[in-house]
């Protein structure tokens, strides 16, 4: 065994010297300098670029030697934004799903009596904004996560045309979002002015914790929070998007990077919020979708979720006239509801 | 393998813009695109220096990191190249690049960006070496012909060098040593001249 070990050792030693001889690069003098330009660029970066600096080449920031925003942008995009956006956009649906499994949908006992909630203009404005929003969110998320989700699955060659179409579509239809947003804002702002009861509503979590529904007007605190978030972040989203749509008119790269940061953050916040909005409008609360679909809601739905608005509507006699049979049915069901509540 | 790099010697560059002309001519660069540019600092003042800047072919390239479609690749020689068939012209590489290398021709609706164009170290792209498709998209593939980038080859003062980083480092070191000795001598002369005169002039 010892002899074998010795033989192996010799062989290994021989092989390693042979490998070393092969790897021998031509003799170098002095110390190793990976890139001779490194010192110079380091000096430019550390001392800041001396002014004035000029160049014959026309272009955005073409007289700048070092782009100071570049590394920040890379760090923000790769280390923070993509990661935290993924956590948020995956986390919110999970939370909603858990809530739905624990809490279940808020049931509605239809009374058969209808109340007009959203007229045609309200609905067209809402669905225009919703369509544009969903399209932009979908294309935007494709561009954000595609490299990490679609590329490993379909490959680079398949993702490129998808991404290209997303980019062109996103850029072309982006300005429509601002138009739809302004329309929705103008139509809904009067009904979304904050009131004291909205804060109470929010503190009580919309009745999710207290059991009883907190008082609400035409829109409740949650809806108003969504409306104003949409207004503020939507405006930031539109303005930054318009700048990014016409990059050739931007004064500097730093502003474009800032616009990208604002655009991304606002977009992800709104998309996460929209998950909640879509849930509450469809599976979360029975009878809500009707309002945006047909324009009318059930009277009992209004009593349940918007008691003050309901009271107002009753005072003004806006409840649609019903046949006697319907009237009876409505009374019994509302009666049952009240019993259930107390 | 060699690690290919550019080096521009600010002590030698005279801002003749010959490198830009050579690049444009050799690569048939799209209108409005400059793969290389010469930046002059303190123009007309004491300490004026010029630098010719293009893609520096970073080892950890920020452009490749932020690209949403992952169109960049690094060759065996350490060159950062990109695939124009994959690129969607979003411009993120331009925001991330420290050197302002990625360029975009105006193309499509509302003067939007076309596919990105940048210095290839005269090494073409992913297409077959020397093919007309490669020339159309990326310009000449001189590297496949055993030649260095034309900008460096054309540089009249040999300020702009291109090649193996080790070789460039040797040339750079040699230049620094010669310069140090000559400026040392000049410094001594100036000091002699300025004895009792203006002390600031020699610095």
């Amino acid at each position: 065994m010892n002899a074998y070990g010795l033989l192996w050792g010799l062989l290994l030693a021989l092989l390693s010297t042979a490998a070393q001889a092969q790897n021998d690069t031509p003799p170098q003098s002095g110390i190793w300098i990976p890139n001779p330009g490194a010192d110079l660029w380091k000096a430019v970066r550390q001392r800041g670029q001396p002014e004035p600096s000029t160049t014959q080449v026309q272009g955005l920031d073409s007289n700048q030697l070092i782009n100071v925003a570049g590394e920040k942008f890379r760090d923000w995009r790769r280390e923070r934004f993509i990661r935290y956006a993924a956590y948020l956009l995956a986390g919110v649906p999970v939370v909603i799903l858990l809530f739905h499994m624990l809490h279940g949908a808020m049931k509605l006992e239809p009374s058969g009596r209808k109340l007009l909630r959203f007229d045609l203009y309200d609905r067209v404005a809402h669905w225009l904004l919703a369509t544009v929003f969903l399209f932009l969110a979908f294309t935007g998320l494709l561009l954000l996560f595609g490299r990490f989700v679609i590329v490993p699955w379909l490959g680079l060659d398949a993702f490129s045309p998808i991404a290209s179409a997303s980019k062109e579509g996103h850029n072309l239809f982006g300005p429509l979002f601002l138009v739809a947003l302004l329309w929705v804002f103008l139509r809904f702002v009067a009904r979304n002015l904050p009131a004291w009861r909205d804060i109470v509503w929010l503190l009580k979590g919309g009745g999710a914790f207290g059991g009883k529904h907190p008082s609400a007007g035409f829109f409740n605190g949650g809806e108003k929070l969504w409306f104003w978030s949409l207004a503020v972040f939507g405006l930031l989203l539109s303005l930054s998007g318009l700048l990014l749509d016409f990059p050739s008119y931007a004064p500097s790269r730093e502003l474009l990077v800032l616009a990208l940061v604002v655009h991304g953050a606002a977009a992800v916040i709104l998309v996460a919020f929209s998950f909640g909005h879509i849930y509450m409008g469809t599976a979360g609360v029975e009878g809500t979708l009707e309002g945006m679909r047909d324009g009318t809601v059930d009277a009992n739905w209004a009593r349940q979720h918007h008691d003050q608005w309901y009271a107002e509507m009753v005072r003004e006699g806006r409840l649609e006239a019903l046949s006697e049979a319907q009237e009876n049915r409505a009374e019994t069901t509302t009666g049952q509801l009240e019993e259930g509540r107390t | 393998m060699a690690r290919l790099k550019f080096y521009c010697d600010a002590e030698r560059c005279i801002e003749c813009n010959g490198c830009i002309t050579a690049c444009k001519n050799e690569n048939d660069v799209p209108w409005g695109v400059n793969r290389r540019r010469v930046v002059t600092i303190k123009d007309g003042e004491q300490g004026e220096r010029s630098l010719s800047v293009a893609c520096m072919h970073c080892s950890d390239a920020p452009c490749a990191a932020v690209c949403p479609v992952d169109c960049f690749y690094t060759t065996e020689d350490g060159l950062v190249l990109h695939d124009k068939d994959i690129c969607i012209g979003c411009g993120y590489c331009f925001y991330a690049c420290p050197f302002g290398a990625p360029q975009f021709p105006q193309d499509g609706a509302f003067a939007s960006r076309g596919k990105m164009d940048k210095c290839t170290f005269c090494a073409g792209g992913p297409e077959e070496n020397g093919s007309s498709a490669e020339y159309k998209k990326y310009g000449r593939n001189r590297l496949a012909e055993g030649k260095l980038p034309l900008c460096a080859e054309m540089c009249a003062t040999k300020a702009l060098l291109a090649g193996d980083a080790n070789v460039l480092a040797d040339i750079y070191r040699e230049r620094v040593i010669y310069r140090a000795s000559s400026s040392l001598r000049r410094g001594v002369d100036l000091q002699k001249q300025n004895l009792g005169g203006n002390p600031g002039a020699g610095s």
Side-chain angles (χ1 to χ4, degrees), chain A residues 105-108 213 279-289 301 305:
Chain A
M106 291 181 214
K107 297 276 181 230
L108 171 72
H213 265 89
Y279 167 71
M280 295 310 267
T282 53
V285 182
E286 278 183 8
T288 310
L289 190 63
W301 182 90
H305 301 287

Side-chain angles (χ1 to χ4, degrees), chain A residues 25 27-37 39-41 44-45 49-58 60-67 69-71 73-74 77-78 143-144 146-148 151 156-157 159-161 163-164 167-168 171-172 244-249 253 256-257 260, chain B residues 5-10 15 17 20 32 34 36-43 45 51-53 56 60-71 83 85-90 92-101 103 106 109-115 165-166 168-170 172-173:
Chain A
T25 40
Q28 289 171 22
S29 58
I31 43 164
W32 163 264
I33 301 173
N35 178 4
D39 294 340
L40 185 125
W41 284 102
V44 170
R45 191 196 287 257
Q49 187 172 347
E51 294 289 328
S53 49
T54 53
T55 181
Q56 301 298 313
V57 166
Q58 291 180 346
L60 187 58
D61 291 342
S62 60
N63 67 335
Q64 274 182 27
L65 280 172
I66 292 266
N67 168 22
E71 202 53 30
F73 172 59
R74 176 201 188 155
R77 181 171 166 83
R78 283 306 297 268
L143 289 168
L144 185 62
R147 179 173 171 179
F148 310 97
V151 167
L156 287 174
D157 293 317
F159 178 59
S160 176
S164 188
K167 177 215 154 199
E168 300 297 341
N171 284 357
L172 274 172
L244 292 166
D245 235 352
F246 303 98
S248 40
Y249 300 111
R253 276 173 299 192
L256 284 166
V257 168
L260 269 175
Chain B
K5 286 283 176 195
F6 281 119
Y7 170 58
C8 183
D9 195 334
E15 200 203 353
N17 288 296
I20 298 172
N34 289 285
R36 182 169 278 288
R37 69 190 199 278
V38 177
V39 178
T40 305
I41 55 179
K42 296 185 182 172
D43 192 13
E45 294 171 20
L51 270 179
S52 177
V53 190
M56 301 292 267
D60 178 22
C63 53
V66 298
C67 179
V69 291
D70 203 8
C71 77
D83 189 339
D85 294 339
I86 303 287
C87 174
I88 59 169
C90 69
Y92 288 4
C93 49
F94 176 60
Y95 305 147
C97 178
F99 307 108
Q103 301 283 307
Q106 286 200 349
F110 305 116
S112 68
R113 290 184 172 115
K115 291 180 186 300
N166 290 340
L168 295 191
D170 285 344
Y172 169 67
R173 192 178 301 110

Side-chain angles (χ1 to χ4, degrees), chain A residues 252-272:
Chain A
S252 73
R253 276 173 299 192
E254 275 178 66
L255 194 68
L256 284 166
V257 168
L258 182 70
L260 269 175
V261 171
V262 169
H263 198 76
V268 165
I269 289 169
L270 283 188
V271 170

Side-chain angles (χ1 to χ4, degrees), chain A residues 74-240:
Chain A
R74 176 201 188 155
D75 182 63
W76 172 79
R77 181 171 166 83
R78 283 306 297 268
E79 306 303 327
R80 294 160 213 274
F81 183 56
I82 288 178
R83 179 177 305 162
Y84 296 127
Y87 290 159
L88 184 70
L89 296 183
V92 168
V94 169
V95 170
I96 289 174
L97 196 69
L98 284 176
F99 175 81
H100 190 70
M101 282 159 64
L102 290 173
H103 193 267
M106 291 181 214
K107 297 276 181 230
L108 171 72
E109 297 281 345
S111 66
R113 305 178 71 162
K114 298 287 181 191
L115 260 176
L116 181 68
R117 186 161 169 81
F118 298 114
D119 68 17
L120 189 63
Y121 285 113
D122 286 341
R123 281 177 280 153
V124 171
H126 171 268
W127 287 115
L128 176 68
L129 184 64
T131 313
V132 175
F133 180 86
L134 287 177
F135 174 76
L136 293 175
F138 185 66
T139 51
L141 291 176
L142 265 177
L143 289 168
L144 185 62
F145 295 118
R147 179 173 171 179
F148 310 97
V149 179
I150 315 273
V151 167
W153 175 41
L154 291 178
L156 287 174
D157 293 317
F159 178 59
S160 176
I162 299 172
S164 188
S166 296
K167 177 215 154 199
E168 300 297 341
H170 199 90
N171 284 357
L172 274 172
F173 290 104
L176 199 56
F177 179 76
L178 183 58
V179 176
L181 182 76
L182 286 175
W183 194 13
V184 163
F185 182 82
L186 291 175
R187 280 215 72 84
F188 287 87
V189 67
R191 285 169 276 180
N192 272 294
L193 297 176
W196 179 248
R197 60 171 177 261
D198 301 324
I199 296 167
V200 177
W201 191 97
L202 284 171
L203 287 176
K204 287 188 177 173
F209 310 115
K212 194 175 179 295
H213 265 89
S215 178
F218 187 91
F219 283 128
N220 63 39
E223 287 168 313
K224 287 183 183 178
L225 188 66
W226 167 231
F227 176 83
W228 288 105
S229 305
L230 190 69
V232 172
F233 291 118
L235 192 67
L236 287 174
L237 202 59
S238 304
L239 295 180
S240 55

